[in-house]
Amino acid sequence: MLCLIKQYGKNKMATEVMKLRELNEKLYDICIAEIQQDSTNVWSPGNVRAIAYKLKKGLENNAQCVNMIKSEHLYTRELRNKYIAKIKQNSGLPTKPKETQRTWKKWSAPAIPVQ
């Protein structure tokens, strides 16, 4: 990782990180109404404090704001699924799994002869 930063340039990397932080701050100001600490609606492992963000009114359909408040796990899963679907579409593979019919046979005990 340090080698990649060195290749890119430390000053250039610092500038890009600063730009990213500024953009995140602007988005935060535009989208976020409040922070909810230790929210029970957000999964968190062990002793990690869960943080949930509440959107400002009227931004429920703003994709950028909605994505900003998603958990890392959820957002990553959605990106992965979108990426996989795109690969399948470009490769000609089916994008959805085939529907399979499951037929369940009712189990019955074998007949025991009566003596």
Side-chain angles (χ1 to χ4, degrees):
M1 183 72 136
L2 289 175
C3 183
L4 292 174
I5 293 172
K6 226 178 206 181
Q7 287 175 352
Y8 188 74
K10 286 185 180 183
N11 291 336
K12 194 173 178 183
M13 177 65 81
T15 302
E16 294 298 317
V17 168
M18 189 172 65
K19 285 180 188 177
L20 181 61
R21 287 185 177 147
E22 288 171 0
L23 286 171
N24 278 335
E25 206 171 297
K26 283 180 187 177
L27 264 178
Y28 182 89
D29 291 341
I30 292 168
C31 301
I32 306 301
E34 67 179 282
I35 299 173
Q36 300 169 333
Q37 297 284 342
D38 295 327
S39 173
T40 56
N41 296 332
V42 178
W43 177 84
S44 62
N47 297 338
V48 176
R49 292 180 62 177
I51 298 174
Y53 298 97
K54 187 175 181 181
L55 286 177
K56 289 182 180 177
K57 288 188 179 189
L59 295 174
E60 296 82 10
N61 295 322
N62 182 311
Q64 201 169 22
C65 290
V66 170
N67 284 335
M68 185 179 181
I69 67 166
K70 288 179 182 173
S71 69
E72 181 180 355
H73 177 73
L74 176 61
Y75 187 68
T76 304
R77 185 175 58 204
E78 287 178 2
L79 282 177
R80 184 180 304 115
N81 290 342
K82 191 183 286 187
Y83 180 71
I84 289 170
K86 189 174 184 177
I87 290 172
K88 285 181 178 181
Q89 183 181 18
N90 292 338
S91 67
L93 294 172
T95 54
K96 288 185 178 180
K98 290 182 181 177
E99 292 291 326
T100 57
Q101 283 188 333
R102 291 187 175 144
T103 54
W104 300 96
K105 291 183 180 179
K106 187 174 179 182
W107 183 82
S108 58
I112 301 174
V114 179
Q115 296 181 5

